[in-house]
Amino acid sequence: MDPEGKYVAVGSKIYVVGGEFSYFDMTWSALSIDCRFHTVHPISDKRIEYDSVAEIIDGKIYVINSEGVMVFDTETQKWDPAMKKPDVELGKTYIDGSVVMGDKMYMRNYDNSFVYEPKENKWESDEMLNSKEWRNACVVDDVLYCYDTCVKEIRAYDPKQRCWRVVKGVEQWLPRMIGSRWSKLASYGGKLALFSHKSNARKGTIDVWFAEISLERRQGGEIWACLGMDFLVHEPTKASLCCDYLYSARLLL
């Protein structure tokens, strides 16, 4: 499984687009994995850029990179014939994060954040969203959550209120869970799932940890977190294996 690919789950199928493997073999550019029959089929005869992001809205997968927008209909299993060109300058830098909130795609490259509304093929900017760097984000109840590796905080962005907040209640246990910038948040049944890896000097390994985090909205808009459970998932011996586990986590949640 390509750790750099973008994964979209639709029913019993998982769609994989882009990624490192597509750079060497075009048949890996876009795949459909049927979990019922354990089969894999290519769904594109065109190369999809390595740095693409992909999200699903109303049964259609939108694949976006610096060249434009490609659309795959999961019902008809066909691609739109024409690529949609953005009316904003996305730049040539790697688009390394995307989420969906309110039928809009929110994405970020190394420099800026962008918002795309597929129904009207409309692009816009969000200065408040762009005021913070965010990567490895997820969405719970139309609020974006990400882990800020610089200040070691979980941040939340509400697109309706257009404001960032720091999630409270994590000060006691978050530092012992977070071990590196590869930590990843995922949406998990209305909760946050945190995957992180930490060096285990005694064993000479890198341990993968999992934590389930419940969220509570309080008066004034404050968001509080409560640790439900946490445990050691695996003890891989190499950092590369650990990263594969973290990337694969998105398929399980």
Side-chain angles (χ1 to χ4, degrees):
M1 192 69 72
D2 191 338
E4 297 293 341
K6 303 304 182 293
Y7 298 82
V8 179
V10 183
S12 61
K13 292 184 178 180
I14 298 172
Y15 295 88
V16 188
V17 298
E20 183 178 358
F21 294 169
S22 66
Y23 183 81
F24 301 100
D25 187 345
M26 193 165 58
T27 60
W28 286 85
S29 286
L31 302 173
S32 171
I33 303 173
D34 194 317
C35 299
R36 296 171 301 173
F37 304 108
H38 307 286
T39 56
V40 180
H41 302 284
I43 58 173
S44 176
D45 57 359
K46 298 180 180 179
R47 186 183 302 280
I48 295 178
E49 294 298 324
Y50 167 87
D51 62 345
S52 300
V53 294
E55 300 288 352
I56 185 163
I57 299 175
D58 292 335
K60 294 184 178 181
I61 298 175
Y62 294 84
V63 181
I64 299 178
N65 54 47
S66 58
E67 300 298 322
V69 183
M70 300 174 65
V71 184
F72 180 77
D73 192 317
T74 59
E75 292 187 7
T76 64
Q77 294 289 295
K78 294 182 179 179
W79 293 89
D80 282 4
M83 176 180 286
K84 300 178 181 180
K85 296 293 184 179
D87 55 9
V88 297
E89 179 57 49
L90 296 181
K92 296 298 182 181
T93 57
Y94 177 71
I95 301 177
D96 65 346
S98 67
V99 297
V100 172
M101 295 186 287
D103 291 335
K104 294 182 180 180
M105 284 183 65
Y106 295 75
M107 65 205 80
R108 180 177 179 85
N109 60 18
Y110 286 150
D111 302 312
N112 297 295
S113 297
F114 305 93
V115 184
Y116 176 61
E117 186 174 1
K119 291 182 179 179
E120 299 183 8
N121 191 31
K122 180 181 177 182
W123 291 82
E124 58 188 45
S125 59
D126 186 329
E127 293 184 2
M128 182 56 67
L129 175 65
N130 199 44
S131 66
K132 304 289 185 183
E133 290 190 12
W134 55 275
R135 292 177 176 83
N136 294 329
C138 69
V139 173
V140 176
D141 295 331
D142 272 347
V143 175
L144 178 152
Y145 292 88
C146 65
Y147 173 66
D148 191 319
T149 58
C150 295
V151 296
K152 301 186 184 306
E153 295 175 334
I154 296 178
R155 294 187 179 274
Y157 179 75
D158 189 326
K160 294 180 180 179
Q161 299 181 1
R162 288 183 179 263
C163 67
W164 283 97
R165 299 182 186 276
V166 175
V167 177
K168 298 184 177 182
V170 304
E171 298 82 6
Q172 298 298 319
W173 50 265
L174 187 62
R176 68 179 174 84
M177 286 292 305
I178 298 295
S180 78
R181 64 187 181 91
W182 291 108
S183 301
K184 178 177 176 60
L185 286 174
S187 176
Y188 175 57
K191 302 177 182 180
L192 292 179
L194 171 66
F195 284 83
S196 181
H197 67 71
K198 297 185 69 173
S199 297
N200 189 325
R202 182 174 59 86
K203 295 182 179 180
T205 62
I206 299 178
D207 300 339
V208 181
W209 286 86
F210 166 83
E212 180 186 88
I213 305 169
S214 299
L215 300 167
E216 178 187 353
R217 298 293 293 264
R218 297 186 180 180
Q219 288 185 344
E222 289 186 347
I223 302 176
W224 284 74
C226 178
L227 180 64
M229 59 179 176
D230 65 288
F231 53 85
L232 180 65
V233 178
H234 203 271
E235 296 180 342
T237 57
K238 294 183 179 180
S240 59
L241 288 177
C242 184
C243 294
D244 288 346
Y245 277 102
L246 293 175
Y247 278 113
S248 299
R250 77 190 77 181
L251 300 180
L252 305 175
L253 304 173

